[in-house]
Amino acid sequence: MKICMIGTGYVGLVSGVCFSDLGNDVVCVDKDLNKIENLKKGISPIYEPGLSELIKKNYKIGRLKFSTNLKDSVIKSDIIFICVGTPTKKKTNAADLSQVFDVSKKISRFIKSKFKIIITKSTVPVTTGDIIEKIISKGKSKKLFSVVSNPEFLREGEAIRDFIYPDRIVIGTDSSRSNKILKNLYSPLISKGAKYINTTRRASELIKYASNSFLATKITFINEIANLCEKININVEDISIGMGLDKRIGSRFLRAGPAYGGSCFPKDTKAIVNTAEKFKINLSLVKSVIKSNEKRSLLLLNKLIEILKGKIKNKNICFLGVTFKANTDDMRDSSALAMIPSLAKKGAKINYYDPTGEKNVFKKIKNVTFINNIKSAIHNSDLVIIHTEWNDFKSINFKSLIKKKNFIVYDMRNIYSPLKMKKAKIKYFGIGR
Ligand code: UGA
């Protein structure tokens, strides 16, 4: 299959590289020349385990190409994936679809005589496919193209595995021709056990938002239960295990922690509420999930102040990990963005270490310093905060690395055993226990 991915952001690049690895001819297009030049050299714009290796391998074989030429790339392809960004619009909760529509107009110009499938892989609100179809159909026969929804369910940091072993592949189209072609495209994954479902385009668009909103709800639910556990001396891990064993509930995404972040859950929960409002439907549950999550960073900040008995000024606080979760360099909506500046403002001296390096966003903040190794970062700490669950943070010998006697560990990912910490005489706090 000849495939064109438009947009080399997270979704487009990972999917494009994986499609080429499955044996397809893929061209990844982006208007950012610098990004394209770097990709040709095998330099990935994002941190994703295993991605650079696959880029280099498939580029060398010639199955994977990078280009800024949208026209040529669309003309030569049978399947075109739209993978541009759909950020939250400023001052509203709606998804900004300007890039999607802009690309659709361009694609429309290059559909001449050969049938093409145009697929939205970007997360787009229900009915976006209908608008794209209208844009593309201007002045041409509908027999020449088909607009399909095929949402992605990749997690940052696990994206390649999620692509190869997806739980499901959702194809939203009522065109049997397109469905047949796409089933064939995905056949290597289907033969490995992935479920393939064909729905209407609108249903497919909503499946993506409903899935992300449900997962955000599940996390927020366990986070609120964790708040209760802290008050009544129960370990929330026991609750997660006890609930998760019920097959109707399932154990995944029941890990209590800081507020959920990233480029998807915060944006998509807001966008689904906005879409529902357009249809005069009140998604009150999702609304309260958004509120609860937004308040969570302040809640943990207050807990932190309580742990330090209100004495923040001149305290040496070390953050281990600042991204929104482990195995990514993504800072978007990370709860560290709310916590670090606020603690620095209160006079704390903050060191942070992250395996993905220094973050621009903290460069200008007084008293916030990046240290490029765990040992030096925590050496002088009064309080160590484990903010993300990188493997690097899972077996730290705090006692031998921290020079102060009465240091405290606040483990926001519940990595360590409270019992073992107690035995080691380390002052330790977790989430919901
Ligand atoms: C999420 C979804 O999991 C993917 O299926 C989806 O494709 C993607 O959004 C998207 O729409 O593009 P991602 O944002 O990469 O993936 O990250 P997750 O692993 O889902 O984590 C999101 C947030 O929830 C993180 O802050 C993480 O720390 C938090 N989380 C996750 C918890 O606090 N507890 C959990 O049990 C799981």
Side-chain angles (χ1 to χ4, degrees):
M1 285 276 149
K2 289 194 178 352
I3 297 175
C4 169
M5 312 297 296
I6 303 178
T8 57
Y10 197 81
V11 177
L13 185 59
V14 173
S15 308
V17 171
C18 289
F19 276 130
S20 74
D21 204 51
L22 291 179
N24 300 286
D25 285 322
V26 178
V27 56
C28 294
V29 185
D30 205 291
K31 56 185 177 189
D32 184 336
L33 180 65
N34 193 30
K35 221 176 181 187
I36 292 299
E37 289 306 322
N38 277 335
L39 281 164
K40 285 179 184 170
K41 289 180 207 148
I43 303 168
S44 170
I46 52 168
Y47 175 89
E48 181 63 37
L51 186 63
S52 293
E53 290 79 358
L54 284 188
I55 292 175
K56 283 178 198 142
K57 174 187 153 194
N58 288 288
Y59 185 70
K60 204 172 164 195
I61 300 169
R63 278 199 302 243
L64 180 62
K65 292 191 172 70
F66 298 103
S67 172
T68 50
N69 191 331
L70 186 86
K71 182 180 175 185
D72 266 13
S73 307
V74 169
I75 289 173
K76 285 180 191 153
S77 301
D78 310 304
I79 303 175
I80 296 134
F81 283 92
I82 299 178
C83 308
V84 293
T86 54
T88 305
K89 259 189 199 166
K90 280 193 185 116
K91 290 183 191 156
T92 85
N93 281 337
D96 178 353
L97 297 173
S98 55
Q99 294 182 65
V100 172
F101 295 146
D102 186 43
V103 159
S104 305
K105 279 178 206 150
K106 286 180 181 148
I107 295 172
S108 169
R109 280 188 237 138
F110 311 132
I111 297 178
K112 298 263 152 62
S113 53
K114 206 171 152 215
F115 177 76
K116 293 188 193 300
I117 303 177
I118 293 103
I119 303 180
T120 46
K121 233 191 197 327
S122 303
T123 301
V124 291
V126 173
T127 69
T128 303
D130 304 0
I131 304 171
I132 295 174
E133 189 172 277
K134 252 190 208 155
I135 292 174
I136 297 183
S137 62
K138 268 187 191 152
K140 64 179 62 62
S141 159
K142 281 195 178 169
K143 282 187 190 146
L144 272 178
F145 73 95
S146 161
V147 176
V148 175
S149 161
N150 170 217
E152 60 85 19
F153 301 103
L154 313 176
R155 285 164 303 161
E156 291 188 20
E158 317 275 343
I160 292 168
R161 190 177 345 129
D162 283 351
F163 184 94
I164 300 168
Y165 301 104
D167 289 342
R168 79 297 207 192
I169 294 154
V170 178
I171 298 294
T173 181
D174 48 18
S175 151
S176 51
R177 182 178 181 183
S178 298
N179 186 36
K180 207 172 150 194
I181 295 170
L182 293 173
K183 200 166 185 180
N184 185 38
L185 173 69
Y186 279 110
S187 60
L189 309 184
I190 298 166
S191 64
K192 280 191 191 148
K195 298 261 185 311
Y196 179 95
I197 63 164
N198 176 208
T199 66
T200 62
R201 191 167 60 209
R202 286 183 174 191
S204 168
E205 289 168 339
L206 190 54
I207 284 169
K208 168 71 190 192
Y209 279 100
S211 300
N212 273 3
S213 303
F214 187 79
L215 291 171
T217 304
K218 212 173 166 188
I219 297 165
T220 304
F221 179 85
I222 202 68
N223 282 343
E224 289 199 352
I225 294 293
N227 297 342
L228 178 62
C229 287
E230 283 178 20
K231 295 281 177 208
I232 42 188
N233 204 17
I234 293 171
N235 188 342
V236 72
E237 308 278 296
D238 293 341
I239 309 300
S240 298
I241 293 168
M243 282 176 68
L245 286 171
D246 184 330
K247 286 201 178 83
R248 293 168 301 175
I249 298 173
S251 60
R252 296 175 74 191
F253 281 67
L254 271 185
R255 265 183 299 112
Y260 62 74
S263 62
C264 305
F265 290 172
K267 165 175 82 76
D268 295 349
T269 44
K270 284 179 196 155
I272 196 176
V273 165
N274 186 274
T275 303
E277 272 166 3
K278 278 189 195 150
F279 293 96
K280 301 208 170 7
I281 294 297
N282 179 12
L283 293 185
S284 63
L285 181 62
V286 186
K287 278 185 192 165
S288 53
V289 165
I290 296 169
K291 244 191 214 157
S292 173
N293 193 62
E294 281 173 353
K295 282 188 192 151
R296 187 153 183 82
S297 297
L298 185 63
L299 194 131
L300 295 194
L301 205 57
N302 285 337
K303 169 91 192 274
L304 224 145
I305 294 169
E306 201 185 301
I307 289 173
L308 288 172
K309 301 199 168 72
K311 290 174 189 142
I312 305 295
K313 204 162 186 238
N314 292 326
K315 279 280 182 321
N316 293 313
I317 301 178
C318 175
F319 272 74
L320 292 180
V322 290
T323 53
F324 81 96
K325 63 169 188 177
N327 299 318
T328 177
D329 60 356
D330 199 336
M331 286 298 294
R332 283 175 286 181
D333 273 299
S334 165
S335 55
L337 292 172
M339 289 194 254
I340 291 182
S342 170
L343 289 168
K345 213 172 161 194
K346 287 182 174 40
K349 290 179 180 150
I350 298 184
N351 279 353
Y352 74 93
Y353 166 74
D354 193 284
T356 59
E358 188 170 11
K359 304 297 163 199
N360 286 336
V361 63
F362 295 136
K363 275 186 182 160
K364 283 188 196 134
I365 305 179
K366 208 178 143 200
N367 284 336
V368 179
T369 315
F370 172 72
I371 310 279
N372 71 359
N373 65 81
I374 300 176
K375 210 172 151 187
S376 315
I378 67 172
H379 184 62
N380 198 28
S381 300
D382 296 297
L383 172 68
V384 175
I385 296 171
I386 303 173
H387 179 261
T388 53
E389 66 281 32
W390 285 86
N391 283 339
D392 315 40
F393 306 152
K394 290 184 178 162
S395 47
I396 299 174
N397 189 340
F398 294 100
K399 277 219 148 157
S400 71
L401 295 182
I402 302 177
K403 76 169 187 204
K404 292 196 172 163
K405 256 191 169 176
N406 294 321
F407 68 87
I408 304 167
V409 175
Y410 189 9
D411 178 4
M412 293 189 177
R413 298 289 176 169
N414 290 345
I415 293 174
Y416 289 88
S417 146
L419 204 69
K420 281 188 186 158
M421 291 302 235
K422 201 175 169 189
K423 274 188 190 154
K425 296 196 169 53
I426 294 173
K427 218 172 176 194
Y428 171 86
F429 295 86
I431 297 279
R433 51 192 203 174

